[in-house]
Amino acid sequence: MKKLIISNWKMNYGPIKAGAWIRAFRRERLPKDVDIAVAVPFVSLPAARASLGRASIPALSAQDCFWAEEGAYTGEISASMLHEFGTEMCLVGHSERRAFCGETDDMIAKKAGSLQAHNIVPVICVGDTAVQRKKGEHMKVVKAQVAAAIAMLKADTKIPFVIAYEPVWAIGSGKPCVPQDARDMHVAIRGVLAKKFGATTSEKIRIIYGGSVDTRNILEYMTTMGIDGALVGGASLDPRNFGLLCRAAVPA
Ligand code: PEP
């Protein structure tokens, strides 16, 4: 399966800086056998697209959406609007949205379903807190998050979906999850997918890891069985560093 690396800018870079980031990243030498995407704030998507020109790398992703088609939902952006714009992917359920915006599993399931229905690849973020891991509840918690989030998804479609396992305690902390522990979680997540879609189909769904991935540790994740890519925050804010990270993701 082709690996996927996504840069998550979070709430960084308005249109001016977004355009500059894309132009700088376009100058980077990139590995051919890795899919690369960048998750951009809504208002910066047009500038990112303009700076991309005819180039298709990196693919553009949004960071969130709303599940309804249209109507009285002030401040929200629907999956159909993102489709009209031409966004290829969209993150949903990032732990920062779960924590700061009160997003629930049910909301995340509806967002993911709406995205897939509008031909946008949902990237569903799941993850355990430090307390849950300490109590030994992490597997149960993450498996439940995944089962809830995929409730409305299909696997027999041209629009796949991606699961991003991001332990909350590893995000932005400089304390990444040990690759073997991440692998164990990915195996558990694939088990949840297999239960709903069958083992063969579950093998085709990408499960990526996120949480303090950087230029030094990316290769270890990318070469660990069952880890199909990475979601990268801090280490992707500098376009040259993200280029370096993408190159470091494949064995020399
Ligand atoms: C993220 O924002 O999803 C993330 C993984 O951040 P960081 O790489 O900074 O830990």
Side-chain angles (χ1 to χ4, degrees), residues 4-8 37-39 61 89 91 123 208 230-233 242:
L4 169 67
I5 304 179
I6 307 175
S7 156
N8 177 17
V38 53
S61 170
M89 287 184 192
L91 309 183
V123 179
I208 64 176
L231 180 51
V232 187
F242 188 51

Side-chain angles (χ1 to χ4, degrees), residues 113-132:
S114 179
L115 285 165
Q116 199 182 45
H118 288 93
N119 294 337
I120 298 170
V121 176
V123 179
I124 300 162
C125 305
V126 295
D128 47 298
T129 63
V131 173
Q132 288 161 344

Side-chain angles (χ1 to χ4, degrees), residues 8 10 94 96 125 166 170-174 210-213 231-235:
N8 177 17
K10 312 193 190 209
H94 192 282
E96 288 149 15
C125 305
E166 298 205 294
I171 295 178
S173 64
S212 296
V213 173
L231 180 51
V232 187

Side-chain angles (χ1 to χ4, degrees), residues 178-211:
V178 175
Q180 285 65 32
D181 289 347
R183 181 199 56 202
D184 291 348
M185 185 63 86
H186 285 217
V187 169
I189 292 172
R190 212 172 291 285
V192 177
L193 301 178
K195 213 167 169 186
K196 182 170 163 97
F197 302 117
T200 311
T201 303
S202 79
E203 290 299 328
K204 296 181 189 142
I205 299 169
R206 290 197 275 207
I207 306 174
I208 64 176
Y209 167 77

